[in-house]
Amino acid sequence: MSKTLFTPVPRTVRELIMEVETGKLGLPDLQRGYVWRAAKVRDLLDSMLKGYPIGYLMIWEAADDTEKSKTIGIDSKPFGTPKSLVIDGQQRLTSLYAVMCGKKIVDEKFNEKQIIISFNPLTRTFAVGDNATKRGAEWIYDISEVFRNESKSFAYISEKVQTISDSREKTGGTLTDDEKQCIQQNIMDLLSLTGFSIPTLEISGNSDEESVADIFVRVNSGGEKLGEDDFILTLISVYWPEGRQKIVDFCRSAKTPKPGTAYNFLFQPSPTHIVRVAMSYGFHRARLHYAYMLLRGRDFENGVYTESLRIQNFEKLKQVLEQVLDVQIWKNFLKCVEAAGFVSKSLISSENALVYSYVMYLFGKFHYGMSESALRKLIAKWFFMTAVTGYYTGSPETDMESDLADLRNVKTEEAFVALLEKKIASVFTGDYFAITLPNSLANSAPRNPSWFGYCAALNVLDAKVLFSTLHTRELFNPTADGKKKALERHHLFPKAYLARIGIADDRDRNQMANFAFIEWSDNIEVLDTSPAEYMKDQLAKIAPTEKGSIYADHALPENWEHMDYFDFLTKRRILMAEVVKRGYERLR
């Protein structure tokens, strides 16, 4: 019989939380950040109160390397280095620690957050803490106060019963003896959750890191909890922990508005995004399933895994990440995105378009030695096309695999430019601008790539805001916002006016072609009058020589304010598509 690497040991919630509190129990770096929503924590507690099983924890009794572990939560611990690490069950244990101790935790986007779970001792129900449970006298807004008062639980419970009784009397009611007993019993049952027994599998401290990583991947691969990007980050944590830390530090710096960091207004990448860039650029693998096998050292010709190939691929990964995580290179790429008119995060509907356009930028810079000015023009056009059309939206890995396959035979800068130009031209055809794009604008979806493309085109064309002397590029910039957004979406045919003429369906009233961006103060002035009425005042502010260019930039048909609404939508969609086309031609 083969040797068993683990020992089953039941532990109570109290014991586990105490080990977390002291720092004795922590997380290995191969774990991802906290991802649970508060509603899932609520359901976990509800299952425990009903006596349902909540799964097991897997703990590794080995944490000799301080660089490969971390404590749970944000406060300092007596144990500077964890002595045991949670391999499976991180989300459950972190949730229990956070809500029972009232501690903040750090999520996968490096944000500190506090999870508030409320409890109704009359109905024995949990809820995500909100203003209603905070104001409700019959609710315990934050259950951490129950556990903090465990040593004086009798006094706490008596006080809570009195509070609920007083509230009931204010409304002319009375709290019955049965209800008082019910409140007391339910709070005691809540307190008893610290004695809830959780099966724990303890992995031997003699197990090596590779075995533990393999266990981690196997126990998480059966469900929907982890993706291939998590498995790749696991491998990096085991074989190159400094690399994992570099990725995390870069992503964290992208959220820190300080000089020299990766911070920007457009995109804060996650470790997953960095993994996709590194594997696509460095290994020509957009499908992370194959990228994971490659980093494990698989030879795809014979299907054999070898240590030498794993070492070789990790050496290559180290070189690749030096380029991918270079802050200046990253900032230069973002200038390409801004040059394409996408100057605000609010205009970007596809993170995949950013990720894979960065890959193309890296190819152009390092594989083909393009000058920065030529590369910026090329990638600006490429990103404009991918963003407007949703090029990487349907099956992004498949589409990028196809692009990478086409690059394998490209040897020169000229061939690289020609390939991307050809791909853009194959999408941006005459029929696309005349038929496909107008049709894609015929909807009311709030995050329509075609609409964002129209807005980006206005920025490229240096168009002025409707009814304003300022340019759209200036007001789309996040720094232009004050207490209100500098720009607001304005219904050209106001909703209230449309309702008066019998058009009440928001799918009709909120069509993309009925929107234009104007300054928020102008939006207040327009109110709900008909376009024919409010345009009298607005046209008086416009010089006759400027009217033609303003109407052209904002895709407004001549005499539009007097048109039938649905005829207006049809004609404006065609003109909006022409604006997008002019924006792209300006990039060329």
Side-chain angles (χ1 to χ4, degrees):
M1 181 176 175
S2 60
K3 181 181 178 181
T4 303
L5 295 179
F6 64 88
T7 303
V9 179
R11 296 197 195 186
T12 65
V13 170
R14 179 184 286 104
E15 292 170 336
L16 290 164
I17 285 181
M18 187 174 295
E19 291 190 15
V20 171
E21 185 74 6
T22 60
K24 183 179 179 181
L25 181 60
L27 303 174
D29 263 353
L30 55 81
Q31 284 277 31
R32 61 179 172 174
Y34 186 79
V35 298
W36 269 21
R37 295 182 180 275
K40 198 161 186 177
V41 183
R42 174 203 63 201
D43 295 342
L44 172 69
L45 290 163
D46 184 61
S47 294
M48 293 172 66
L49 194 63
K50 291 176 178 175
Y52 297 167
I54 61 169
Y56 63 87
L57 299 181
M58 187 173 290
I59 293 175
W60 180 26
E61 293 184 343
D64 296 330
D65 192 337
T66 60
E67 294 182 353
K68 297 181 181 179
S69 61
K70 56 189 175 183
T71 57
I72 298 173
I74 64 172
D75 52 346
S76 60
K77 315 286 186 182
F79 282 83
T81 303
K83 301 304 179 185
S84 299
L85 305 177
V86 182
I87 300 301
D88 188 40
Q90 171 202 357
Q91 307 296 323
R92 280 165 290 159
L93 182 56
T94 304
S95 298
L96 293 174
Y97 170 69
V99 298
M100 289 184 173
C101 298
K103 299 287 189 178
K104 290 184 178 180
I105 46 85
V106 179
D107 66 18
E108 63 175 346
K109 296 182 179 179
F110 314 110
N111 296 318
E112 292 184 9
K113 63 185 296 184
Q114 190 146 17
I115 306 168
I116 304 295
I117 300 297
S118 303
F119 180 67
N120 189 317
L122 269 170
T123 61
R124 199 179 170 88
T125 55
F126 292 98
V128 177
D130 57 16
N131 287 332
T133 61
K134 194 171 187 176
R135 293 192 301 265
E138 295 184 355
W139 284 91
I140 298 171
Y141 170 62
D142 184 352
I143 63 171
S144 67
E145 74 175 50
V146 177
F147 299 101
R148 286 198 301 269
N149 286 282
E150 185 175 10
S151 62
K152 48 182 180 179
S153 58
F154 179 79
Y156 173 81
I157 293 173
S158 298
E159 182 181 343
K160 192 62 188 177
V161 170
Q162 189 61 49
T163 299
I164 296 175
S165 179
D166 292 345
S167 174
R168 183 74 64 85
E169 289 177 1
K170 287 179 181 179
T171 60
T174 303
L175 196 65
T176 67
D177 290 340
D178 286 345
E179 287 177 320
K180 291 178 181 179
Q181 187 174 350
C182 176
I183 293 170
Q184 294 170 349
Q185 185 60 55
N186 286 336
I187 295 179
M188 289 299 296
D189 289 347
L190 176 62
L191 268 173
S192 71
L193 293 185
T194 58
F196 191 95
S197 181
I198 300 179
T200 305
L201 305 180
E202 294 187 353
I203 301 173
S204 169
N206 296 322
S207 301
D208 58 46
E209 293 168 328
E210 185 171 358
S211 296
V212 174
D214 193 34
I215 292 170
F216 172 75
V217 170
R218 287 170 185 255
V219 299
N220 283 287
S221 61
E224 300 178 344
K225 291 181 283 185
L226 297 178
E228 299 292 347
D229 53 319
D230 294 291
F231 298 157
I232 291 173
L233 287 167
T234 297
L235 287 178
I236 298 174
S237 294
V238 171
Y239 294 114
W240 185 35
E242 298 86 356
R244 169 66 179 261
Q245 193 59 49
K246 286 182 178 180
I247 294 173
V248 169
D249 288 345
F250 181 87
C251 294
R252 185 179 287 114
S253 79
K255 298 175 66 66
T256 308
K258 293 182 180 179
T261 68
Y263 178 79
N264 63 92
F265 289 118
L266 293 176
F267 184 41
Q268 286 76 50
S270 68
T272 292
H273 295 129
I274 299 302
V275 165
R276 289 191 178 278
V277 172
M279 301 315 295
S280 296
Y281 167 60
F283 298 91
H284 282 71
R285 294 286 179 179
R287 289 193 178 92
L288 294 185
H289 174 66
Y290 296 113
Y292 169 68
M293 292 191 291
L294 188 148
L295 282 184
R296 287 193 61 198
R298 177 168 182 172
D299 186 325
F300 286 99
E301 291 188 5
N302 55 35
V304 175
Y305 290 89
T306 66
E307 183 178 359
S308 60
L309 187 56
R310 176 182 60 75
I311 293 172
Q312 176 183 325
N313 287 338
F314 264 91
E315 286 300 317
K316 184 174 183 180
L317 178 63
K318 292 177 183 180
Q319 298 173 11
V320 167
L321 279 179
E322 285 297 318
Q323 297 170 338
V324 172
L325 301 180
D326 186 296
V327 171
Q328 189 57 58
I329 293 169
W330 169 249
K331 292 291 184 72
N332 288 342
F333 160 69
L334 292 174
K335 291 176 183 176
C336 303
V337 178
E338 293 178 2
F342 292 84
V343 297
S344 168
K345 188 176 183 177
S346 65
L347 297 181
I348 295 173
S349 62
S350 170
E351 292 181 342
N352 286 326
L354 282 165
V355 167
Y356 292 133
S357 292
Y358 187 33
V359 173
M360 291 300 183
Y361 175 87
L362 292 168
F363 273 120
K365 183 174 183 64
F366 293 108
H367 283 217
Y368 303 109
M370 294 185 66
S371 69
E372 192 61 40
S373 60
L375 183 58
R376 183 174 300 169
K377 291 178 182 178
L378 178 65
I379 299 303
K381 288 184 289 184
W382 178 258
F383 181 77
F384 189 88
M385 181 276 290
T386 60
V388 172
T389 64
Y391 183 84
Y392 289 121
T393 300
S395 301
E397 287 190 349
T398 300
D399 294 331
M400 189 59 187
E401 280 282 346
S402 176
D403 291 337
L404 293 172
D406 292 337
L407 282 174
R408 290 191 182 108
N409 296 321
V410 174
K411 306 299 181 185
T412 65
E413 173 186 346
E414 292 75 17
F416 175 67
V417 173
L419 175 65
L420 265 59
E421 293 279 11
K422 181 180 178 181
K423 284 178 173 288
I424 294 171
S426 69
V427 177
F428 274 174
T429 62
D431 282 347
Y432 175 81
F433 288 111
I435 302 172
T436 306
L437 184 53
N439 287 340
S440 68
L441 287 165
N443 71 58
S444 57
R447 296 192 59 77
N448 185 336
S450 302
W451 165 257
F452 292 148
Y454 166 72
C455 297
L458 292 177
N459 295 332
V460 172
L461 295 169
D462 203 26
K464 290 182 179 179
V465 177
L466 190 60
F467 313 144
S468 173
T469 59
L470 298 177
H471 295 82
T472 59
R473 180 180 286 271
E474 297 173 81
L475 296 185
F476 269 121
N477 191 310
T479 59
D481 293 339
K483 291 184 178 180
K484 288 182 173 289
K485 290 284 187 182
L487 281 179
E488 287 193 351
R489 288 204 313 178
H490 160 65
H491 288 79
L492 291 168
F493 280 70
K495 292 179 69 173
Y497 166 73
L498 289 174
R500 288 201 301 272
I501 63 174
I503 302 174
D505 192 332
D506 278 345
R507 288 177 298 180
D508 293 327
R509 298 188 297 184
N510 290 336
Q511 285 287 309
M512 294 292 101
N514 192 31
F515 283 118
F517 278 108
I518 64 176
E519 291 187 73
W520 71 269
S521 56
D522 290 324
N523 208 10
I524 294 174
E525 291 179 10
V526 169
L527 297 176
D528 296 323
T529 57
S530 71
E533 185 176 345
Y534 75 72
M535 279 302 291
K536 292 177 183 177
D537 295 332
Q538 297 302 330
L539 287 172
K541 302 176 185 178
I542 301 174
T545 55
E546 294 183 351
K547 180 184 174 184
S549 62
I550 291 174
Y551 271 38
D553 284 342
H554 291 279
L556 296 173
E558 184 63 34
N559 210 33
W560 67 272
E561 60 269 29
H562 299 287
M563 292 176 65
D564 171 79
Y565 176 62
F566 291 104
D567 287 345
F568 161 76
L569 293 179
T570 300
K571 292 185 178 180
R572 188 166 189 244
R573 289 179 195 125
I574 295 172
L575 294 177
M576 290 171 74
E578 290 180 4
V579 170
V580 175
K581 184 178 181 181
R582 283 198 292 125
Y584 173 66
E585 289 173 345
R586 176 70 62 85
L587 291 176
R588 296 179 64 187

